[in-house]
Amino acid sequence: MPRSLKFLIILTSIFILLLLLGIRIIFLMQVSSKLIIPESVMSSPWEYLDCASCEEAISKTIDEQLTKELKNPFKRFSYWMHSRASGTVIQKATLHSNKGYLMIESSVENKNFNVKVDRVVDINGNNIPKTKKDAEGARIRVISSEQKQEINYHLRKSGFYAKGKNQIYTIFKEQDKTNQQ
């Protein structure tokens, strides 16, 4: 094979890879910016702690939004290309009123979306613990008294509270509250 033909094949391959990468990036920017978790599904990122039904409710909401969004053939093709290349698509979903965001992994199986919540982050950048075990002793950042009230409201549902100063708080078990005073 002539040297110039090899060079042309390599150059064409690189061009195709860059084109596919560009399509994947465009897809992620278009779809991710539109994924929103409504207040009816999750009123606060802190509601995610020890919530047995949250994952399913979020999954159903994202599935509905992706199904609607991917009616466009170009977006559907881009999603398909991205999911085939990497197995899953990692996307950001915004919580209503910009209270935080979720990082989700989605994939397509038999024309259905499989959605898994990777992590939930509040407006202060705190990764919300998934389980009670993960919550105990966690250090979080709290900016305002309103946020402290909201966080403690949801923590108390699971038997915890946050205490601290200078914007750094630690999560304690409610039963330990008497020992802290």
Side-chain angles (χ1 to χ4, degrees), residues 13-40:
S13 299
I14 291 171
F15 175 76
I16 290 170
L17 286 173
L18 290 173
L19 180 64
L20 292 175
L21 179 62
I23 289 171
R24 289 170 61 185
I25 291 170
I26 290 169
F27 162 76
L28 290 175
M29 289 181 348
Q30 287 178 339
V31 175
S32 294
S33 65
K34 296 180 181 178
L35 296 176
I36 297 175
I37 306 301
E39 189 170 12
S40 60

Side-chain angles (χ1 to χ4, degrees), residues 159-175:
F160 291 93
Y161 71 100
K163 182 178 177 182
K165 59 183 176 181
N166 298 330
Q167 299 182 353
I168 303 298
Y169 285 67
T170 303
I171 298 175
F172 297 100
K173 283 185 178 179
E174 278 285 344
Q175 65 193 32

Side-chain angles (χ1 to χ4, degrees), residues 1-2 4 18 21 29 39 41 77 89 92 98 107 114 118 122 124 129 132 139 144 147 157 163-164 166 171 181:
M1 187 180 312
S4 61
L18 290 173
L21 179 62
M29 289 181 348
E39 189 170 12
V41 173
F77 175 74
V89 177
K92 185 177 183 177
N98 285 321
S107 60
N114 292 325
D118 183 49
D122 73 4
N124 296 321
K132 290 179 181 182
R139 294 174 50 94
S144 68
Q147 289 174 341
K157 290 179 182 179
K163 182 178 177 182
N166 298 330
I171 298 175
Q181 295 177 355

Side-chain angles (χ1 to χ4, degrees), residues 102-169:
L102 291 81
M103 294 303 292
I104 60 166
E105 295 179 19
S106 61
S107 60
V108 180
E109 199 172 285
N110 298 327
K111 296 186 179 182
N112 294 318
F113 292 101
N114 292 325
V115 178
K116 178 182 176 254
V117 177
D118 183 49
R119 64 187 164 128
V120 178
V121 181
D122 73 4
I123 197 166
N124 296 321
N126 297 311
N127 285 308
I128 309 305
K130 172 78 172 136
T131 65
K132 290 179 181 182
K133 181 183 174 192
D134 296 335
E136 188 175 2
R139 294 174 50 94
I140 59 172
R141 185 171 177 228
V142 181
I143 302 297
S144 68
S145 60
E146 292 84 17
Q147 289 174 341
K148 179 184 173 190
Q149 288 174 344
E150 179 182 344
I151 290 168
N152 274 322
Y153 171 78
H154 291 288
L155 286 175
R156 284 193 174 100
K157 290 179 182 179
S158 297
F160 291 93
Y161 71 100
K163 182 178 177 182
K165 59 183 176 181
N166 298 330
Q167 299 182 353
I168 303 298
Y169 285 67

Side-chain angles (χ1 to χ4, degrees), residues 47-80:
E47 189 176 333
Y48 189 70
L49 172 65
D50 204 35
C51 179
S53 64
C54 287
E55 186 103 18
E56 184 60 31
I58 292 166
S59 179
K60 182 179 177 189
T61 300
I62 297 296
D63 182 84
E64 290 168 359
Q65 290 180 23
L66 285 174
T67 300
K68 183 178 176 183
E69 185 67 27
L70 296 179
K71 285 184 179 180
N72 176 311
F74 173 73
K75 290 180 182 178
R76 189 171 48 248
F77 175 74
S78 298
Y79 186 92
W80 181 81

